[in-house]
Amino acid sequence: MTFHFPTLGDLANSEKYGEPIATHGVPSDRLLRQLEMMMLIRVTEEVIAEGVTAGIIHCPCHLAIGQEAVAVGVSENLTHTDRVFGGHRSHSHYLAQGGALYGLLAEVLGKESGCSKGMGGSMHLYDKASGFMGSVPIVAATVPLAVGAGLAAKKDNRGAVAVTYFGDGAAEEGVVHESMNFAAAFKLPVLFVCENNLFSSHLHIDLRQPSNSVARFAAAHEIPYQVVDGNDVVAVSEATERLVKRARDGEGPGFLEAVTYRWRGHVGPREDIDVGVQRKSDLPLWKRRDPIRRLAESLETLGAVDADWLERRWSAIRAKVTSVWEEAILAPYPQSSATLSRVYANGQLTGGIQA
Amino acid sequence: MKQTETISYCAAILEGFTYLLEKHPDVFVIGQGLWSPWYVGSTMKDLDIRFGRDRIMDTPVSEDATTAIAAGASLCGYRAIMVHPRVDFMVLAANALVNQIAKWSHMLGGQSHPKVTIRAIVNRGGEQGAQHSQALHSWFAHIPGLRVVMPATALDARDLLIASVLCDDPVLYIDDRWCYEVEEPISAIDVTPLELQGPKVLRKGEDVTLVGSSFSTQLCLKAAGELLSHGISAEVIDLRVLNPIRYEVIRESVKKTGRLCVVDGSWRNCGMAGEIIAGVLESVHPSILLDSPRRITLPEAPAPSSKALEAEYYPSVGHILNEVLPWFRPSKSSEIYSEKGNSHETYL
């Protein structure tokens, strides 16, 4: 018996794909915009990491440093009328979709002015205006919610798509397979985005699954899939474009597997080189696959940027994020009544019922 | 011959669905077996033909995903009704219900509300055994953010379904097949918002307060009739909404009667019956009580299959009389129930 399933091959090889990315004639202004968004995400998460280290942030923060190209490449193909759902590691998804920087920083600080009114912290983000419908940390939990948003989009018939971000670990949850089956059976406009960073918490995918490519599950559900270098924003964007176009045209769901690597540990600012298979030797190699540096080098070759410009942009972005961060630190916490008043839609304590 | 036209519980549910689907184009229904009367009885008969299979969606065997899918659609402009034809199978969707739907508003700062109603059907008896016989409302009534509704009467089966679906919060609406033949005089639809609904006195009385929900309320009503023949006047209160719960009506009744007996079709430990007793007792002075409160619940065991065991397993009118009559032995009741024979089945 033989099986014909996708495998990651060199995409999972830490020694490959270190060169500048191929830009395939994508206009420089778009590439520059993507570069700056990746830089904003990088700097924002570095500031958050510093906040955790300094003891200013208390909630668990799962950082996507090193994975920025996935969210930026995906959101390149989305609008604010699309519906995006994330998980525990979703700062990048939120920012790339257009979620407000201040709202994110105030939220991780637990402030009333945060994007979830200080009720969620890093793991529960929301920005309706940009189409970011919510992220929550139960693994795979938002996958079926996004399928439901896809069902609503199909009923609306206005060409919107629903996007769900999840990781290789989530692919081990049964509900992901229920969701893919449902989306395929009803031809719903859903894009499943698996950020395969090879780890679920501390445990490498080789110790959890018989094959390292999650896209094999898409094949099993007859969902068209693309497997790409997740640290190549152009590759992510082009693959997303193909899948999203099909979905908008009523041809059903798509599955994107973006192979990437997180530079920090599962949670918190540490690099966690003491946990997991080969992380100590792999991390320096994966840092050579830096999605930001690789795009910047491509843009330098095109003559669109130079080292001086890059340095100035890094400084300007850091100054901006720091300024917003300082503003968020000064913001007030939610009032005591918030614990009870946000349980039910009418905003009344215990749903308007007094014992 | 009937004096007035009546409607049955199951026909009333169908009327509720019909009203919602006619008046509210944003409502759709999703779940397993919705195109088959075998799953949901006549409560959804021909809805798929009348309103189309895009609005009455029959689904793959995926309780967890489908429950969350209904919720996801409800975050995007729809009012979804998710149907679990048997409450036991809804346990597979516990994450969707408990972790996602119930907490969604709170986690995201009260800015987003799943407008989803989960209809679960209690379908017991008939030697179906442990996995086809449960009543799990006490579990779910424990969860803040999830409104839990259990109609006992035909009009409530219709009107509370409508109120649940039109509520902007997630609601677990549980109906019981043992109630499907209960009849009530027909009346116009009452669209009182769910947040204004709560326990209701179905029968006035002076000597003892009987509290139930869904089928247990029907038992209480029958028991009240029996008690009257013993000269005992029982007040019957139907809980209707189990979470968030209002206690005023029950508390005021107990203040009047001094005696409280709660009947519940779920288990005893951490169950609804204990909760009602605690909720009343902590807000009254013990001196108002004439006797210790009682609760009648399932035995602490899964449902047996064998007919012989099954007959003893579920709370019955006989159980209620056995608890209540001894309270009145010296003063009000000259007859002791047990002297009439032990088979409580005669009271079913």
Side-chain angles (χ1 to χ4, degrees):
Chain A
M1 278 214 295
T2 54
F3 296 94
H4 299 286
F5 283 129
T7 55
L8 294 184
D10 278 351
L11 285 173
N13 185 338
S14 54
E15 297 184 28
K16 303 283 184 178
Y17 292 94
E19 63 277 8
I21 66 169
T23 54
H24 294 179
V26 176
S28 291
D29 60 336
R30 189 190 304 171
L31 295 173
L32 270 174
R33 183 162 42 76
Q34 293 173 342
L35 179 72
E36 292 196 60
M37 180 53 82
M38 288 198 285
M39 292 163 76
L40 175 72
I41 295 167
R42 176 74 54 92
V43 170
T44 300
E45 292 213 298
E46 285 172 350
V47 166
I48 289 172
E50 290 159 15
V52 174
T53 304
I56 302 168
I57 295 174
H58 305 287
C59 68
C61 291
H62 303 74
L63 305 174
I65 292 173
Q67 304 185 181
E68 297 89 345
V70 183
V72 174
V74 168
S75 274
E76 180 66 44
N77 299 281
L78 303 178
T79 73
H80 292 177
T81 54
D82 292 320
R83 291 87 184 249
V84 179
F85 290 82
H88 58 288
R89 193 183 310 285
S90 276
H91 300 160
S92 60
H93 311 144
Y94 167 99
L95 288 172
Q97 184 60 17
L101 173 64
Y102 175 85
L104 172 63
L105 293 177
E107 189 58 40
V108 300
L109 288 160
K111 300 301 182 75
E112 172 69 29
S113 51
C115 62
S116 297
K117 307 283 185 195
M119 303 304 287
S122 164
M123 300 194 294
H124 313 80
L125 305 176
Y126 179 75
D127 188 275
K128 180 84 181 290
S130 68
F132 194 82
M133 300 298 289
S135 61
V136 295
I138 294 280
V139 176
T142 56
V143 176
L145 290 172
V147 174
L151 174 61
K154 184 174 180 177
K155 286 175 178 293
D156 293 341
N157 197 24
R158 291 197 289 266
V161 297
V163 177
T164 170
Y165 286 101
F166 56 99
D168 46 301
E172 292 150 22
E173 299 280 8
V175 76
V176 169
H177 305 280
E178 292 185 17
S179 299
M180 288 167 68
N181 176 67
F182 193 105
F186 289 88
K187 289 186 87 168
L188 302 182
V190 179
L191 179 65
F192 295 89
V193 181
C194 179
E195 290 181 282
N196 185 347
N197 64 18
L198 307 176
F199 282 88
S200 175
S201 181
H202 58 289
L203 206 57
H204 195 272
I205 192 167
D206 288 348
L207 299 174
R208 298 181 285 115
Q209 298 185 29
S211 163
N212 65 2
S213 177
V214 175
R216 71 188 191 280
F217 298 122
H221 292 289
E222 299 194 13
I223 295 175
Y225 62 85
Q226 302 262 287
V227 184
V228 298
D229 173 8
N231 288 13
D232 176 341
V233 72
V234 171
V236 172
S237 178
E238 287 179 344
T240 304
E241 187 179 8
R242 288 189 285 273
L243 295 167
V244 164
K245 182 176 187 313
R246 285 187 76 258
R248 291 198 201 284
D249 290 347
E251 292 175 48
F255 189 102
L256 177 71
E257 178 168 16
V259 184
T260 185
Y261 202 85
R262 61 172 152 74
W263 292 9
R264 304 297 177 102
H266 166 64
V267 59
R270 292 178 67 247
E271 291 190 334
D272 281 2
I273 52 171
D274 52 337
V275 293
V277 175
Q278 291 182 26
R279 195 164 159 84
K280 190 169 186 175
S281 55
D282 271 352
L283 182 57
L285 297 171
W286 274 94
K287 284 187 174 179
R288 284 169 36 197
R289 261 167 92 163
D290 180 357
I292 296 178
R293 185 189 54 74
R294 287 167 68 203
L295 174 57
E297 286 178 6
S298 303
L299 283 164
E300 283 186 82
T301 307
L302 291 170
V305 303
D306 57 25
D308 183 48
W309 182 91
L310 279 167
E311 200 178 308
R312 279 188 283 113
R313 284 313 295 157
W314 279 119
S315 299
I317 290 170
R318 184 157 259 277
K320 175 189 167 186
V321 173
T322 304
S323 154
V324 174
W325 168 246
E326 284 166 356
E327 188 190 345
I329 286 174
L330 298 175
Y333 289 104
Q335 295 187 350
S336 298
S337 61
T339 298
L340 285 172
S341 70
R342 284 162 177 165
V343 180
Y344 296 99
N346 63 10
Q348 295 176 31
L349 306 189
T350 61
I353 287 166
Q354 304 300 319
Chain B
M1 211 175 84
K2 283 176 186 169
Q3 297 301 305
T4 50
E5 203 180 342
T6 61
I7 186 169
S8 70
Y9 189 97
C10 65
I13 292 174
L14 180 62
E15 203 170 277
F17 273 114
T18 304
Y19 173 88
L20 288 162
L21 289 157
E22 269 178 359
K23 303 269 184 197
H24 297 276
D26 55 341
V27 168
F28 76 95
V29 195
I30 183 169
Q32 284 172 51
L34 302 194
W35 300 345
S36 159
W38 189 69
Y39 281 79
V40 288
S42 56
T43 62
M44 299 187 68
K45 188 174 166 48
D46 292 340
L47 288 177
D48 57 321
I49 294 161
R50 182 155 175 207
F51 295 100
R53 292 188 162 186
D54 286 342
R55 293 185 75 195
I56 311 293
M57 297 178 66
D58 209 330
T59 72
V61 189
S62 304
E63 288 82 1
D64 188 5
T66 309
T67 304
I69 285 165
S74 82
L75 298 174
C76 300
Y78 290 86
R79 289 188 186 272
I81 307 174
M82 168 73 215
V83 180
H84 291 282
R86 208 181 277 279
V87 70
D88 313 67
F89 290 70
M90 188 176 72
V91 175
L92 290 161
N95 173 60
L97 274 168
V98 175
N99 285 330
Q100 311 309 325
I101 291 169
K103 295 174 175 57
W104 195 259
S105 167
H106 195 259
M107 294 187 293
L108 302 182
Q111 303 174 96
S112 176
H113 312 283
K115 297 179 180 65
V116 60
T117 296
I118 295 98
R119 177 195 174 199
I121 303 176
V122 175
N123 185 353
R124 297 176 289 184
E127 297 197 334
Q128 296 182 92
Q131 295 184 349
H132 276 40
S133 304
Q134 292 174 89
L136 299 171
H137 49 273
S138 295
W139 264 22
F140 292 99
H142 184 64
I143 308 299
L146 192 61
R147 296 184 187 267
V148 179
V149 170
M150 289 177 78
T153 65
L155 294 180
D156 265 359
R158 177 191 70 192
D159 294 346
L160 288 179
L161 175 66
I162 293 169
S164 297
V165 175
L166 298 184
C167 177
D168 286 345
D169 296 310
V171 181
L172 174 59
Y173 168 102
I174 303 173
D175 56 284
D176 189 324
R177 282 198 174 214
W178 281 355
C179 292
Y180 278 15
E181 305 312 317
V182 168
E183 300 261 338
E184 200 171 2
I186 212 157
S187 82
I189 286 171
D190 171 7
V191 289
T192 304
L194 187 60
E195 47 264 57
L196 302 179
Q197 307 265 13
K200 212 185 228 179
V201 177
L202 295 193
R203 178 180 173 126
K204 284 206 168 294
E206 302 297 326
D207 300 328
V208 56
T209 301
L210 301 178
V211 178
S213 57
S214 190
F215 183 69
S216 300
T217 297
Q218 292 298 334
L219 293 177
C220 291
L221 287 169
K222 287 189 183 120
E226 292 293 329
L227 288 167
L228 195 59
S229 68
H230 293 268
I232 298 161
S233 161
E235 182 143 299
V236 176
I237 296 176
D238 180 24
L239 284 177
R240 303 172 78 240
V241 180
L242 279 65
N243 189 48
I245 191 157
R246 297 169 183 262
Y247 286 103
E248 310 95 290
V249 171
I250 313 168
R251 185 170 56 226
E252 292 313 306
S253 175
V254 174
K255 279 185 186 169
K256 176 175 66 179
T257 64
R259 299 182 181 92
L260 173 62
C261 176
V262 186
V263 187
D264 185 41
S266 72
W267 289 292
R268 172 170 293 241
N269 193 36
C270 300
M272 205 62 220
E275 188 57 40
I276 297 300
I277 291 169
V280 170
L281 289 198
E282 69 188 355
S283 63
V284 298
H285 194 273
S287 64
I288 68 139
L289 292 175
L290 301 174
D291 278 296
S292 301
R294 301 286 162 83
R295 54 182 151 165
I296 296 168
T297 64
L298 294 175
E300 295 292 288
S305 277
S306 167
K307 185 176 168 56
L309 299 176
E310 210 177 41
E312 299 167 354
Y313 180 73
Y314 296 106
S316 66
V317 173
H319 288 134
I320 299 171
L321 300 182
N322 280 337
E323 290 296 332
V324 172
L325 285 176
W327 278 341
F328 298 94
R329 246 175 231 162
S331 54
K332 287 210 173 184
S333 171
S334 54
E335 250 183 320
I336 296 170
Y337 171 67
S338 57
E339 290 174 355
K340 289 174 67 182
N342 270 324
S343 173
H344 57 253
E345 283 204 314
T346 55
Y347 287 90
L348 267 173

